[in-house]
């Protein structure tokens, strides 16, 4: 990163102090709360990066800083600067506004609807206007005036515009002039560094010719940004482009004996896609990698009390209205791939990207992105088991969907394990590419930080709950949660009976928390009881994460058993069939994740999974399960606190 931000800098959307995120394509710095809304809009609206915890190409960060410091935000708030806006009651958000609906509505209007951007006078032929703007952009990029170019792009100028008279693109012009920040801006808006001009030269050729070697090297990096990002996600390193290495690809066990029929069919369809459709699929996977990596940073940096109650979670890729509904469904289903499944898909894409660049692509077929996504979904058993539920929502920020998707993973785990055991990647080869799962250590650190934060806020909430119960205690509002108490909605059910509904026998099946014939109950346990059980869970998760950090793999199983007991006791506090959908989905996530955790931890036994079991891959799955358990417990604390205080 270049120079650190000054403490005087403010969020572009609400003017809050010390913004810690950047919207790369908007040239602004934003605070945590506003960033949560940006994330829910999707990368086609705003591409967010954390200023400290995300790796930055130095010139890309310098580009964003330059835009911010030169008033790029006024482009998106042009009409709000007009005194008439104040008179009409239109104003931007302020730090005291609630995230929902105040900040969210303003941010959507500002970036999604472009409600405050300066409008050009209407013309009969819009294409002429776009062409004129693109020609202006073509001329402007030879200078260092970034905000002028951003303004033109915001009005509809095309970053990849090919000038019919000049015979080149804006990126050729910027490269010839050595304008590296302009090149960064153009690339963010879709300029292709591989485009040749009328003489057959690329922008990098002109950069080298002009002695702009840093720019030339950066243009090569931009050209391979998609595959570099996918490779870095898997193994934490990038190809050495300077020495002619443009791909890092895992070694695949490509023997037909190791491939199931579904896997072979999926691979064949992937290879038979046209280049255009393959690029679409690769871009979708790129967006999912970005979502997962941003989630990891989000997890490590947020105030988690605020995160649950105020800001928006992004459980899967938000809807892009420019894509078909089938493509949007396929994009969102990528979130259901576990770490091993998703890595296998990424490896297949990297392999085919290299094949397409260096070899002769297979003949194009009638297969399309929708078909390949469907096949891959079937291969990895990620189709939804509830056909009555929609595959995606018009607003991709519903935590219920995330919880249900995570909960249903456990119901599929047995079939996934059997599929993966005969998958196309051997454990040894997979782990060589994963480079000992460098990311696992970072994930452990993040989760331990989250767990510490959760423990702290639980103690605070417990004190508040105790005070509230003392103040508001009445016979009607007291809930008796003693171990031998009877469920109010089911006089014949004892605590032991309730426990049976959430216990499992380890045979691969996870029972639903609620029994179908039970009448839904609106009654929830006391906040204090839920907090007490959650503290037990988080304490045991802390111990498990510490064992993972210290490579004490023999501690996994006893830790998972203690977590299982704590989860069972917590689930037993709730009615058999809670009335609240959020409670049901949170309980389902809690219990199924505990089951998955036990299943993963058992793989550390040599006799359970065989000598080829890779402990690093198991550790990554264990960490994910622990996160899901902590997330579900935290959600239950939030729900019960809110309901009991109403």
């Amino acid at each position: 990163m270049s120079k650190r931000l000054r403490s005087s800098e403010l969020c572009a959307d609400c003017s809050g102090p010390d913004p810690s995120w950047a919207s790369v394509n908007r040239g602004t710095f934003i605070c945590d709360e506003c960033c949560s809304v940006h994330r829910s809009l999707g990368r086609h609206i705003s591409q967010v990066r954390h200023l400290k915890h995300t790796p930055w190409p130095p010139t890309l960060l310098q580009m964003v800083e330059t835009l911010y410091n030169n008033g790029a935000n006024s482009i998106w708030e042009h009409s709000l600067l007009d005194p008439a806006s104040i008179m009409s009651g239109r104003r931007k958000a302020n730090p005291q506004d609630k995230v929902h609906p105040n900040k969210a509505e303003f941010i959507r209007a500002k970036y999604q609807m472009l409600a405050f951007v300066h409008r050009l006078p209407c013309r009969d032929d819009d294409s002429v206007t776009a062409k004129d703007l693109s020609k202006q952009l073509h001329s402007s990029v030879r200078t260092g005036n970034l905000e002028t170019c951003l303004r033109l792009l915001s009005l509809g100028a095309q970053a990849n515009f090919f000038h019919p008279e000049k015979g080149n693109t804006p990126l050729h012009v910027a490269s010839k002039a050595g304008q590296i920040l302009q090149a960064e801006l153009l690339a963010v808006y879709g300029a292709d560094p591989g485009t040749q001009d009328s003489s057959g030269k690329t922008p990098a050729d002109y950069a080298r010719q002009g002695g702009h070697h840093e720019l030339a090297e950066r243009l090569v990096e931009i050209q391979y940004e998609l595959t570099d990002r996918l490779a870095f996600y898997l193994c934490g390193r990038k190809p050495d482009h300077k020495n002619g290495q443009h791909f890092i690809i895992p070694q695949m066990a490509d023997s037909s004996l190791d491939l199931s029929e579904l896997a072979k069919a999926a691979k064949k369809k992937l290879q038979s896609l046209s280049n255009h459709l393959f690029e679409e699929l690769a871009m979708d996977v790129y967006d999912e990698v970005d979502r997962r990596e941003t989630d990891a940073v989000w997890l490590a940096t947020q105030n988690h009390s605020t995160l649950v109650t105020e800001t928006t979670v992004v459980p899967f890729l938000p809807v892009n209205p420019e894509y078909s509904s089938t493509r949007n469904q396929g994009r969102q289903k990528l979130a259901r791939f576990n770490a091993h499944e998703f890595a296998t898909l990424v490896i297949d894409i990297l392999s085919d990207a290299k094949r397409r660049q260096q070899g002769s692509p297979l003949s194009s077929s009638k297969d399309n992105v929708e078909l390949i996504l469907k096949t891959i979904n079937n291969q990895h058993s990620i189709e939804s088991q509830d056909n009555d539920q929609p595959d995606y929502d018009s607003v991709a920020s519903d935590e219920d969907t995330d919880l249900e998707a995570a909960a249903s993973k456990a119901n599929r785990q047995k079939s996934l394990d059997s599929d993966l055991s005969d998958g196309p990647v051997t454990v040894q080869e997979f782990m060589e590419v994963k480079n000992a799962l460098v990311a696992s250590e970072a994930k452990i650190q993040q989760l331990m930080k989250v767990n510490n934060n959760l423990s702290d806020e639980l103690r605070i909430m417990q004190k508040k709950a105790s005070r509230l119960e003392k103040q508001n205690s009445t016979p009607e509002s007291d809930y008796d949660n003693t171990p031998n108490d009877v469920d109010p909605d089911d006089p014949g059910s004892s605590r032991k009976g309730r426990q049976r509904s959430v216990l499992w026998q380890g045979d691969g099946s996870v029972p639903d928390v609620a029994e179908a014939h039970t009448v839904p109950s609106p009654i929830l346990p006391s906040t204090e009881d839920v907090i007490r059980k959650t503290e037990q869970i988080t304490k045991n998760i802390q111990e498990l994460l510490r064992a993972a950090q210290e490579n004490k793999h023999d501690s996994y199983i006893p830790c998972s058993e203690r977590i299982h007991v704590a989860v069972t006791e917590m689930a037993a506090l709730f009615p058999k069939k809670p009335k609240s959908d959020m409670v049901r989905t949170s309980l389902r996530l809690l219990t199924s994740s505990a089951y998955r955790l036990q299943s993963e931890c058992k793989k550390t036994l040599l006799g359970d999974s065989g000598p080829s079991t890779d402990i690093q891959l198991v550790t990554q799955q264990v960490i994910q399960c622990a996160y899901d358990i902590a997330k579900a417990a935290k959600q239950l604390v939030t729900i019960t606190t809110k309901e009991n205080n109403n």
Side-chain angles (χ1 to χ4, degrees):
M1 184 189 291
S2 64
K3 67 180 180 64
R4 274 303 304 128
L5 298 176
R6 298 183 298 273
S7 59
S8 60
E9 291 179 333
L10 303 176
C11 171
D13 295 336
C14 73
S15 302
D18 301 328
S20 54
W21 296 81
S23 175
V24 178
N25 57 323
R26 303 298 179 171
T28 58
F29 294 142
I30 52 178
C31 68
D32 289 351
E33 290 191 344
C34 291
C35 177
S36 71
V37 182
H38 279 249
R39 292 192 62 213
S40 71
L41 298 177
R43 294 188 74 254
H44 58 288
I45 301 296
S46 181
Q47 301 169 18
V48 299
R49 281 176 176 255
H50 197 277
L51 290 166
K52 291 196 297 184
H53 295 280
T54 302
W56 281 83
T59 50
L60 180 62
L61 177 58
Q62 188 181 349
M63 182 269 289
V64 179
E65 288 178 333
T66 301
L67 283 172
Y68 177 86
N69 291 329
N70 286 277
N73 195 43
S74 64
I75 294 172
W76 315 111
E77 296 182 356
H78 175 84
S79 64
L80 291 181
L81 302 176
D82 186 343
S85 293
I86 301 176
M87 300 299 293
S88 66
R90 297 170 71 186
R91 66 169 183 85
K92 70 182 293 177
N94 62 57
Q96 290 73 38
D97 284 338
K98 291 183 177 180
V99 178
H100 299 285
N102 306 73
K103 290 184 180 180
E105 289 180 355
F106 171 74
I107 291 169
R108 289 193 185 99
K110 179 178 176 180
Y111 298 110
Q112 192 170 39
M113 309 305 296
L114 300 179
F116 314 122
V117 171
H118 174 64
R119 300 293 180 184
L120 293 176
C122 292
R123 296 179 57 167
D124 294 335
D125 189 348
D126 289 339
S127 63
V128 173
T129 301
K131 186 175 181 180
D132 289 344
L133 289 168
S134 299
K135 285 186 175 181
Q136 290 182 47
L137 177 68
H138 190 278
S139 299
S140 298
V141 294
R142 70 181 74 251
T143 73
N145 198 331
L146 286 177
E147 58 273 19
T148 297
C149 293
L150 180 61
R151 190 179 303 277
L152 291 167
L153 289 164
S154 74
L155 293 172
Q158 298 301 304
N160 228 17
F161 172 74
F162 193 90
H163 199 296
E165 290 84 24
K166 307 289 185 181
N168 58 13
T169 69
L171 192 55
H172 285 94
V173 176
S175 300
K176 191 173 183 179
Q179 294 290 347
I180 191 168
L181 301 188
Q182 293 282 23
E184 292 282 5
L185 178 61
L186 290 168
V188 165
Y189 274 83
D192 181 5
T195 300
Q196 296 181 347
D197 67 358
S198 55
S199 302
K201 291 185 177 181
T202 66
D205 292 333
Y206 283 105
R208 293 190 193 96
Q209 184 178 312
H212 310 300
H213 300 296
E214 181 186 5
L215 173 55
E217 291 172 3
R218 178 63 184 139
L219 287 169
V220 174
E221 289 179 357
I222 292 171
Q223 186 171 356
Y224 288 95
E225 180 188 1
L226 189 149
T227 50
D228 282 4
R229 180 77 177 271
L230 299 188
F232 189 82
Y233 173 75
L234 289 183
C235 62
R237 58 192 180 94
K238 294 182 179 179
D240 185 1
H241 296 293
K242 289 182 183 179
N243 293 320
Q245 180 196 25
H246 298 309
F247 294 92
I248 294 178
I249 306 216
Q251 297 297 312
M252 303 292 288
D254 208 14
S255 168
S256 60
L257 296 176
D258 293 333
L259 290 173
S260 66
E261 289 303 315
L262 279 174
K264 286 190 288 185
K267 196 178 187 76
K268 185 176 180 180
K269 291 184 189 306
L270 183 78
Q271 293 173 342
S272 65
L273 286 175
S274 68
N275 285 338
H276 172 69
L277 294 175
F278 175 76
E279 286 171 3
E280 286 189 353
L281 177 61
M283 286 190 291
D284 292 344
V285 172
Y286 175 95
D287 286 351
E288 175 63 15
V289 165
D290 181 83
R291 186 194 69 82
R292 293 186 180 212
E293 291 186 332
T294 305
D295 267 347
V297 175
W298 189 261
L299 180 68
T301 58
Q302 298 309 296
N303 176 311
H304 294 277
S305 176
T306 303
L307 178 64
V308 171
T309 58
E310 285 289 325
T311 56
T312 307
V313 295
V314 184
F316 44 71
L317 289 174
V319 172
N320 186 335
E322 296 182 3
Y323 297 159
S324 68
S325 61
T326 306
R327 183 177 178 186
N328 274 313
Q329 291 169 9
R331 283 165 57 85
Q332 294 187 347
K333 286 176 181 176
L334 292 172
R336 300 181 187 175
F337 282 60
N338 66 27
H340 194 156
E341 293 170 321
F342 189 62
T344 303
L345 174 58
V346 170
I347 290 167
D348 285 345
I349 288 176
L350 284 170
S351 300
D352 212 52
K354 181 178 181 180
R355 179 189 66 78
R356 287 168 187 264
Q357 187 194 66
Q358 298 182 350
S360 299
L362 300 178
S363 58
S364 177
S365 71
K366 295 181 180 179
D367 295 322
N368 54 28
V369 170
E370 286 82 358
L371 179 58
I372 186 64
L373 277 172
K374 181 178 179 182
T375 305
I376 293 172
N377 289 346
N378 289 335
Q379 174 194 357
H380 296 293
S381 305
I382 66 165
E383 290 293 348
S384 172
Q385 294 188 350
D386 186 354
N387 294 327
D388 295 330
Q389 295 296 320
D391 285 313
Y392 71 99
D393 300 323
S394 59
V395 180
S397 60
D398 184 355
E399 190 169 24
D400 282 353
T401 308
D402 180 40
L403 294 169
E404 288 186 6
S408 63
K409 284 181 184 176
N411 294 327
R412 298 187 296 270
Q413 192 63 37
K414 189 174 182 180
S415 63
L416 290 179
D417 288 343
S418 61
D419 288 344
L420 293 175
S421 64
D422 296 324
V425 188
T426 66
V427 173
Q428 182 62 34
E429 289 167 337
F430 185 80
M431 292 316 304
E432 286 177 1
V433 177
K434 293 287 281 185
N435 194 20
L437 284 174
V438 175
S440 288
E441 177 65 21
K443 185 84 171 181
I444 292 171
Q445 295 288 355
Q446 292 165 4
L447 284 171
M448 292 187 76
K449 180 178 179 181
V450 171
N451 221 47
N452 286 331
N453 292 343
L454 181 56
S455 296
D456 291 341
E457 65 183 72
L458 281 172
R459 282 192 289 271
I460 295 170
M461 292 176 74
Q462 188 172 26
K463 291 178 181 177
K464 290 181 178 178
S466 298
R467 287 198 298 268
L468 284 170
E469 288 185 4
K470 289 178 181 178
Q471 293 171 3
N472 302 325
S473 179
T474 65
E476 291 78 8
S477 63
D478 286 340
Y479 298 117
D480 187 356
N481 288 284
T482 55
N484 296 318
D485 189 32
V486 175
D487 191 331
D489 276 350
D490 189 355
S493 68
S494 65
R495 174 185 170 88
K496 183 177 180 181
R498 287 210 304 273
Q499 282 184 326
R500 279 199 296 270
S501 69
V502 294
L503 287 173
W504 47 83
Q505 304 303 319
D507 61 354
S509 62
V510 180
D512 198 322
V513 173
E515 296 179 6
H517 63 275
T518 308
V519 177
S521 171
I523 298 177
L524 296 178
S526 71
T527 305
E528 188 173 350
D529 282 348
V530 175
I531 289 175
R532 189 181 304 113
K533 295 302 181 185
T534 303
E535 284 179 332
Q536 293 178 11
I537 293 173
T538 54
K539 179 181 178 182
N540 290 317
I541 288 177
Q542 184 82 5
E543 185 179 346
L544 175 65
L545 296 176
R546 192 175 295 110
Q549 187 180 29
E550 297 172 359
N551 294 321
K552 295 180 179 178
H553 309 127
D554 55 347
S555 298
Y556 283 12
I557 291 178
C559 284
S560 70
E561 289 174 350
R562 286 191 289 272
I563 291 171
H564 169 209
V565 171
V567 164
T568 301
E569 291 178 352
M570 180 168 179
L573 293 174
F574 291 82
K576 282 185 177 180
K577 190 171 183 181
K579 187 175 182 180
S580 165
D581 289 338
M582 282 293 289
V583 172
R584 284 200 301 273
T585 53
S586 297
L587 284 171
R588 210 158 32 230
L589 176 60
L590 184 73
T591 55
S592 62
S593 299
Y595 166 74
R596 285 170 46 224
L597 178 64
Q598 284 195 304
S599 298
E600 292 296 333
C601 289
K602 285 180 181 177
K603 294 179 183 178
T604 58
L605 294 176
L606 186 62
D608 199 344
S609 303
S612 63
T613 298
D614 194 289
I615 197 66
Q616 299 266 6
L617 184 57
V618 170
T619 295
Q620 191 179 51
Q621 294 296 330
V622 165
I623 293 168
Q624 182 61 47
C625 293
Y627 167 61
D628 288 342
I629 292 169
K631 175 182 176 181
K634 180 168 56 179
Q635 185 69 22
L636 288 168
V637 170
T638 303
I639 295 169
T640 53
T641 301
K642 181 178 179 181
E643 292 297 322
N644 290 335
N645 288 343
N646 284 342

